[in-house]
Amino acid sequence: MAEGLFGVHAAALEVRSQRMGVLASNIANASTPNFKARDIDFTTALSAVEHQPGGGVGGALKYRVPTNPSMDGNTVELSTEQTAFAENAVQYQTTLSFLNGRIGQITRALKGE
């Protein structure tokens, strides 16, 4: 029933939340030797979550290929990660705002307003 009310947006919020955690981990490990930056392929993850809600992003978690690999084996490029995190945060907030609006509409309809 929630899928019909909220469409793809509930699944998108779940994927964006998981991606935020992955990107935050990359940023936190920017100076950890041999740490490999990862990211979530949104389309693949969204499909996985839609078919198995709560099941995680499955094979959508990929290692990021750095443009300038560091000497210590760390593949985190801080500017790339910060940009991806900021973009994902805006997309997360947009999806959340849409869902809040939808919930407001449903609430008003149930109250008969």
Side-chain angles (χ1 to χ4, degrees):
M1 182 169 179
E3 185 176 303
L5 293 174
F6 304 118
V8 70
H9 299 287
L13 191 66
E14 183 177 341
V15 172
R16 295 205 188 287
S17 175
Q18 290 179 20
R19 184 171 186 233
M20 200 168 296
V22 170
L23 295 172
S25 175
N26 290 347
I27 292 169
N29 286 287
S31 39
T32 303
N34 295 314
F35 182 83
K36 306 301 180 207
R38 299 178 304 163
D39 199 355
I40 292 175
D41 177 280
F42 183 79
T43 305
T44 304
L46 185 60
S47 178
V49 169
E50 284 183 309
H51 290 92
Q52 188 176 16
V57 295
L61 188 60
K62 309 284 185 198
Y63 287 100
R64 191 183 301 284
V65 178
T67 53
N68 295 311
S70 68
M71 297 297 285
D72 68 358
N74 185 305
T75 62
V76 175
E77 294 175 320
L78 201 51
S79 61
T80 299
E81 302 304 329
Q82 290 171 329
T83 300
F85 188 89
E87 287 173 352
N88 190 66
V90 168
Q91 293 164 340
Y92 179 90
Q93 187 60 45
T94 301
T95 303
L96 190 59
S97 294
F98 176 85
L99 287 171
N100 282 334
R102 184 70 176 127
I103 291 168
Q105 288 176 335
I106 293 166
T107 303
R108 286 190 299 279
L110 290 172
K111 289 181 180 178
E113 295 176 2

